[in-house]
Amino acid sequence: MPPGSTADVTEAIERQIERFAPGFRDRILARHVTRPADLERYNPNYVGGDIGGGVADLAQMFTRPVARLDPYSTPNPRVFLCSSSTPPGAGVHGMCGYHAATSALRRLERFKPAPLR
C-alpha cells in the first residue's frame, strides 16, 4: 500500500489468497481492517503506516535509526537498539538483535574492570 493510504484492499487480498488456497474465504470468521493511515494515527513511529521502520534503501542502511558508526548504540551506554529500524532492517531474521548483542558485548569488553591484585 502507498504510504498514508486510506484504501481498503481487503477484497483484492482475499481474492488472491483464494486463488491459491480455494476455500480460504469460507474459513474467515471475522475481520478487522487497518489501513496505513490508521496505523500511523495509532503509532506515529509507523510513518505512512509502515511497521518496518520506513524505506529500506542503501542510504537508510547506514543512517537509520540515526547516523552513527554503531547504529545499535545509544547515548546511554547501558541501552542498545535492536528494532527493525536498525540494520539490516525489517524481516523475520533476528539479525538486528544479533548485531545489537554483538555491539553490547564489544562495549562490555572495552569497559571490563581491571583484575584485582
Side-chain angles (χ1 to χ4, degrees):
M1 296 294 300
S5 174
T6 58
D8 182 356
V9 295
T10 306
E11 176 65 28
I13 292 170
E14 288 180 5
R15 194 172 42 247
Q16 182 70 355
I17 295 171
E18 182 74 27
R19 190 173 146 215
F20 295 99
F24 167 78
R25 285 184 171 178
D26 298 334
R27 288 167 173 68
I28 296 173
L29 302 176
R31 113 181 1 98
H32 175 82
V33 176
T34 305
R35 297 167 186 88
D38 301 329
L39 284 171
E40 188 172 16
R41 266 192 304 280
Y42 168 74
N43 184 338
N45 291 305
Y46 298 161
V47 177
D50 183 353
I51 63 170
V55 67
D57 62 11
L58 194 57
Q60 286 288 314
M61 179 66 128
F62 299 103
T63 60
R64 61 190 263 180
V66 293
R68 67 168 56 112
L69 289 176
D70 183 357
Y72 311 98
S73 66
T74 68
N76 182 334
R78 299 175 68 181
V79 176
F80 292 83
L81 301 174
C82 64
S83 73
S84 64
S85 291
T86 59
V92 184
H93 46 66
M95 294 309 295
C96 302
Y98 171 82
H99 292 303
T102 302
S103 176
L105 288 171
R106 274 195 311 269
R107 186 171 286 171
L108 283 173
E109 286 297 318
R110 238 182 300 147
F111 296 107
K112 206 179 231 181
L116 296 174
R117 296 181 191 221

